[in-house]
């Protein structure tokens, strides 16, 4: 999840063409089908999952609030080290109960739930032990950016909602304090962000203290209150919120800025990469395993990236010739990055073009999917107070229960760095059939346990987003050689992520070594390359999930097409992948193998 999925989960965690992936060691999947009695074991598993739900709702009020838990909307999570260590006790107890449950006494669905919940809990315990919360911010900022996200996704429909948002504002100072303590613990133990990341976060901290013409982002939920709240009460609510923002929250914002400027920046090293930090290699290896949901090591991931760069580069050459370009590759990249025909001339034009592409993508969904989500999505600009260090586009999850649509968020700043030939790929990744479709279906999987409706499985989630860019070809979204080249440039971007992320954090590369892959092999604009580079430096491991997940999804589809032949139906296949929610890749393999077998059996009767 990019930070766009269920942000509470992120806080709690604060193909045959690629032989290296095909032959990588795999985690143990659910055991094969047996016929042992299942009733007692199923009841026991149900009790464990009920207790796991209660735990998750308690420690992750952001995801729980999005799921309609009204009480959770008044709380913030506890990201402190004390909170982490307190969570070890119930997690170890849950894990012990899962381990004691005989898998051969469960049916296939029960074994999958046992294996998946055990995977998530064990991963969280490993995370707590390694303490990555010491990296308390990244290039986009720290605690203030989580609060900004919550403000933009909060809808006040009555007095209870208003009181809940006020309660979150009252909790914000403690949330900042935990972030400051985490950052200081990182300083004292040698797990320190690079200077370039600190400078980016410091710039955002300064912008947080100087709201623009639209006012303070934390006041946005009170901008237009419903008529069921009397006018006098509306004004009183706004005054209470303003007093909190101007008083204790501003004081903590100032303390956060001072910590970054006076304490952190002078000690921040110039060299990027966890490889240079105390305990950094062990942490990075865990993050790669966690985000890819595989046992791949960073050297294997790096090699996959190199192979993918070479493969995609050959296809880009073909589209370059199809566009009529007779010069060399570097000249074509310069042409794409500088010719005015490829760039919008206003923020409105860029947003309107993204909206038009999104509607064309909507039009193609029924041909590829049998089940579509109820929740709609909107196309929105990145808020101006955060656009400077924000990526080109992103998805923000919505909530049907809270009356909030999903959001395809487009960065409308720096128009000469936002090429239109990349916009179709960005749109199908972030909106549909990408993140909105997948995440909304995950949220609406009512037959699944609570933990599966919000599970953070980055390789599946981001792999699906990249797979959706490929689906754009089948949907006819890319209309010109330039747009097809833009699609391949985006795929190259993700291949270079494998190379650059592992290069920086495992092999000890410099920023320039990492930058070269994007600059020399993709059409990404210079500003986007720099923004993304700082993102990878400050958020280790996450960038490795996209390509690893997409490769596995395409492998699974190739296998289904090969084994089912003319019985393969793409709509049924996509439903089988999506409707029950994401899984770690090995468990996904096992589930889809079972689906293929079921399809064969059904067609033979």
């Amino acid at each position: 999840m990019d930070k766009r999925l269920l942000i509470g989960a992120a806080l709690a965690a604060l193909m045959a063409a690629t032989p290296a992936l095909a032959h990588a060691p795999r985690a143990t999947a659910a055991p094969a089908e047996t016929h042992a009695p299942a009733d007692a074991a199923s009841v026991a598993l149900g009790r464990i999952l009920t207790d796991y739900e209660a735990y998750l709702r308690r420690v992750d009020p952001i995801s729980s609030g999005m799921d309609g838990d009204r009480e959770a909307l008044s709380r913030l999570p506890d990201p402190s080290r004390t909170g982490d260590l307190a969570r070890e006790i119930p997690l170890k107890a849950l894990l012990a109960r899962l381990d004691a449950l005989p898998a051969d006494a469960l049916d296939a669905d029960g074994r999958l739930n046992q294996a998946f919940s055990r995977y998530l809990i064990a991963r969280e315990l490993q995370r707590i032990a390694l303490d990555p919360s010491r990296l308390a911010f990244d290039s986009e900022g720290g605690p203030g950016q989580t609060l900004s996200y919550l403000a933009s996704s909060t809808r006040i429909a009555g007095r209870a909602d208003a009181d809940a948002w006020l309660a979150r504002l009252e909790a914000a100072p403690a949330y900042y304090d935990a972030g400051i303590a985490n950052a200081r613990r990182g300083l004292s133990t040698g797990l320190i962000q690079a200077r370039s990341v600190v400078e980016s976060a410091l710039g955002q901290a300064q912008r947080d203290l100087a709201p623009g013409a639209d006012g303070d982002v934390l006041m946005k939920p009170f901008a237009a209150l419903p008529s069921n709240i009397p006018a006098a009460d509306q004004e009183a609510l706004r005054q209470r919120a303003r007093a909190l923002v101007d008083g204790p929250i501003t004081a903590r914002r100032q303390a956060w800025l001072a910590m970054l400027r006076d304490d952190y920046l002078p000690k921040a090293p110039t060299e990027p990469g966890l490889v240079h930090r105390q305990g950094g290699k062990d942490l990075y290896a865990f993050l790669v395993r966690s985000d890819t949901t595989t046992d791949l090591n960073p050297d294997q991931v790096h090699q996959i990236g190199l192979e993918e760069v070479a493969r995609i580069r050959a296809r880009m050459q073909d589209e370059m010739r199809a566009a009529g370009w007779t010069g060399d590759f570097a000249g074509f990249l310069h042409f794409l990055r500088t010719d005015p025909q490829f760039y919008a001339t206003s923020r409105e034009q860029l947003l309107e073009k993204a909206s038009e592409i999104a509607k064309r993508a909507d039009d193609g969904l029924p041909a590829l999917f049998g089940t579509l989500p109820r929740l709609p999505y909107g196309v929105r600009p990145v808020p101006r107070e955060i656009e400077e260090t924000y990526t080109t586009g992103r998805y923000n999850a919505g909530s049907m229960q809270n009356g909030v649509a999903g959001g395809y968020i487009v960065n409308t700043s720096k128009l000469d760095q936002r090429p239109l030939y990349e916009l179709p790929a960005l749109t199908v990744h972030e909106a549909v059939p990408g993140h909105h479709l997948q995440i909304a279906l995950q949220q609406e999987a009512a037959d699944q346990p609570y933990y599966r409706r919000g599970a953070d499985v980055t390789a599946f989630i981001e792999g699906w987003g990249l797979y959706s860019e490929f689906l754009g070809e089948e949907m006819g979204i890319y209309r010109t050689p330039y747009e097809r080249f833009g699609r391949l440039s985006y795929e190259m971007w993700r291949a270079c992520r494998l190379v650059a992320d592992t290069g920086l954090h495992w092999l000890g590369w410099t920023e320039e070594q990492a930058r070269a892959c994007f600059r020399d092999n993709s059409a990404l604009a210079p500003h986007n390359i720099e923004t993304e580079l700082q993102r990878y430096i400050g958020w280790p491991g996450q960038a490795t999930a996209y390509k690893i997940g997409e490769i596995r999804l395409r492998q699974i589809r190739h296998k289904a097409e090969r084994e089912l032949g003319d019985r393969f139906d793409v709509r049924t296949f996509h439903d089988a992948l999506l409707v029950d929610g994401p899984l770690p890749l090995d468990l996904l393999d096992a589930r889809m193998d079972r689906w293929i077998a079921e399809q064969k059996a059904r067609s033979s009767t």
Side-chain angles (χ1 to χ4, degrees):
M1 160 173 105
D2 199 298
K3 289 179 181 175
R4 61 173 69 82
L5 176 59
L6 304 179
I7 195 165
L11 287 165
L14 248 55
M15 177 161 11
T18 311
L21 180 57
H23 298 110
R26 297 186 175 191
T28 302
E33 180 75 63
T34 69
H35 300 284
D39 289 349
S42 296
V43 170
L45 177 62
R47 289 172 179 159
I48 295 171
L49 296 182
T50 297
D51 291 344
Y52 187 28
E53 174 177 348
Y55 163 84
L56 290 172
R57 288 190 181 277
R58 184 172 69 253
V59 304
D60 184 3
I62 296 178
S63 295
S64 185
M66 292 176 67
D67 193 58
D69 184 333
R70 309 305 300 174
E71 183 275 335
L73 291 171
S74 65
R75 295 188 288 116
L76 292 175
D78 177 7
S80 70
R81 185 60 178 164
T82 299
D84 259 356
L85 295 175
R87 288 187 280 273
E88 280 189 314
I89 298 171
L91 285 172
K92 288 179 178 178
L94 287 165
L95 187 60
R97 292 167 66 189
L98 286 166
D99 287 343
L101 198 60
D104 59 3
L106 295 166
D107 62 15
D109 288 338
R111 290 195 298 276
L112 189 149
N113 274 314
Q114 180 192 33
F116 189 13
S117 57
R118 184 167 53 197
Y119 167 86
L120 292 172
I121 292 169
R123 183 180 70 173
E124 178 63 4
L125 285 168
Q126 292 176 61
R127 185 199 69 80
I128 292 171
L130 290 164
D131 194 16
S133 297
R134 290 173 289 168
L135 296 173
F137 61 92
D138 56 27
S139 62
E140 293 179 6
Q145 280 48 68
T146 300
L147 295 171
S148 175
Y149 165 84
L150 290 174
S152 66
S153 61
T154 293
R155 173 179 174 267
I156 294 179
R159 180 59 186 258
D161 292 333
D163 289 338
W165 180 242
L166 284 169
R168 279 188 165 169
L169 293 180
E170 290 170 348
Y175 191 70
Y176 268 102
D177 289 343
I180 292 171
N182 285 340
R184 292 191 187 282
R185 194 170 69 261
L187 282 175
S188 67
T189 58
L191 191 63
I192 309 173
Q193 291 284 23
R195 185 178 184 89
S196 60
V197 174
V198 185
E199 289 171 342
S200 293
L202 186 55
Q204 185 57 56
Q206 291 166 337
R207 287 186 288 275
D208 287 345
L209 284 164
D214 294 336
D216 196 290
V217 63
L218 300 184
M219 293 297 297
K220 282 186 176 180
F222 289 109
L225 293 173
S227 58
N228 59 24
I229 301 177
D233 290 349
Q234 290 188 20
E235 183 55 30
L237 290 167
R238 290 191 180 98
Q239 288 179 4
R240 286 178 59 194
R242 174 56 62 192
L244 289 166
V245 172
D246 290 346
I249 292 176
T250 292
R252 292 315 196 283
R253 285 170 166 172
Q254 291 169 338
W256 175 258
L257 186 149
M259 181 274 297
L260 292 175
R261 181 192 61 217
D262 301 335
D263 301 332
Y264 209 105
L265 187 63
K267 297 179 182 178
T270 56
E271 67 268 23
L274 287 181
V275 65
H276 301 296
R277 311 294 186 256
Q278 184 175 334
K281 290 199 76 170
D282 288 341
L283 175 57
Y284 185 66
F286 162 75
L287 293 172
V288 169
R289 293 193 304 271
S290 175
D291 284 314
T292 66
T293 71
T294 70
D295 282 340
L296 290 169
N297 63 51
D299 290 315
Q300 291 171 304
V301 172
H302 189 82
Q303 181 60 33
I304 292 168
L306 294 174
E307 294 171 3
E308 284 292 278
V309 167
R311 180 187 65 81
I312 299 164
R313 178 71 177 258
R315 284 203 60 193
M316 294 173 81
Q317 295 279 164
D318 293 339
E319 292 298 343
M320 181 182 76
R321 299 304 177 204
W325 186 260
T326 57
D328 62 11
F329 192 81
F332 190 56
L333 294 183
H334 178 75
F335 166 64
L336 291 174
R337 288 168 175 158
T338 59
D339 195 295
Q341 69 173 302
F342 297 121
Y343 297 88
T345 56
S346 70
R347 290 174 180 263
E348 292 75 17
Q349 183 185 14
L350 182 61
L351 204 62
E352 288 169 0
K353 180 61 176 173
S355 301
E356 184 272 333
I357 297 168
K359 288 310 296 180
R360 279 198 281 124
D362 284 342
D363 191 45
L365 294 181
L368 293 173
F369 302 91
T371 304
L372 298 174
R374 294 176 299 134
L375 185 73
Y377 69 96
V379 184
R380 309 168 193 151
V382 171
R384 297 198 183 192
E385 64 266 15
I386 62 172
E387 66 183 10
E388 179 67 27
T389 58
Y390 208 76
T391 51
T392 302
R394 202 164 287 184
Y395 174 74
N396 284 346
S399 169
M400 182 66 80
Q401 295 89 333
N402 296 338
V404 178
Y408 165 31
I409 314 299
V410 181
N411 198 325
T412 59
S413 70
K414 301 185 186 300
L415 292 173
D416 62 343
Q417 305 289 299
R418 316 288 180 198
L420 296 174
Y421 54 79
E422 292 178 346
L423 199 55
L426 177 69
T427 302
V428 295
H429 182 112
E430 304 295 349
V432 294
H435 285 314
H436 173 71
L437 178 64
Q438 183 266 307
I439 291 168
L441 284 174
Q442 178 181 356
Q443 292 172 314
E444 295 174 12
D447 292 338
Q448 296 303 320
Y450 173 80
Y451 83 94
R452 291 182 64 173
R453 301 200 299 272
D456 172 17
V457 190
T458 311
F460 184 101
I461 293 161
E462 295 298 352
W464 177 263
L466 185 49
Y467 172 85
S468 294
E469 295 177 28
F470 157 74
L471 285 183
E473 293 185 356
E474 297 185 351
M475 299 169 73
I477 295 295
Y478 312 111
R479 294 179 167 182
T480 69
Y482 299 118
E483 291 184 347
R484 291 192 294 273
F485 189 93
R487 204 286 284 179
L488 292 169
S489 181
Y490 258 37
E491 187 178 8
M492 177 66 81
W493 168 26
R494 279 38 166 267
C496 283
R497 283 180 172 182
L498 299 183
V499 175
D501 202 83
T502 53
L504 287 163
H505 294 291
W506 188 255
L507 301 178
W509 281 12
T510 65
E511 285 191 34
E512 175 54 27
Q513 285 177 290
R515 181 181 296 112
C517 189
F518 303 98
R519 182 190 62 225
D520 298 344
N521 294 290
S522 79
L524 288 177
H527 174 77
N528 293 338
I529 291 175
E530 295 309 309
T531 299
E532 291 294 330
L533 195 59
Q534 294 309 312
R535 175 185 171 194
Y536 311 145
I537 294 170
W539 194 2
Q542 194 267 353
T544 64
Y546 295 67
K547 250 295 161 187
I548 300 302
E550 179 251 1
I551 289 170
R552 187 70 67 86
L553 288 173
R554 292 185 71 171
Q555 284 178 337
I556 291 170
R557 177 165 171 179
H558 291 328
K559 181 177 183 178
E561 289 174 328
R562 182 179 66 252
E563 295 201 13
L564 295 178
D566 58 8
R567 295 168 293 180
F568 176 80
D569 179 82
V570 69
R571 299 169 79 237
T572 306
F573 172 78
H574 284 151
D575 281 7
L577 272 178
L578 294 182
V579 168
D580 290 338
L583 288 170
L585 296 183
D586 291 338
L587 292 181
L588 181 68
D589 280 340
R591 187 180 75 180
M592 294 307 294
D593 284 347
R594 183 157 58 107
W595 177 82
I596 291 170
E598 289 169 354
Q599 298 304 300
K600 286 180 177 179
R602 183 173 294 118
S603 62
S604 64
T605 56

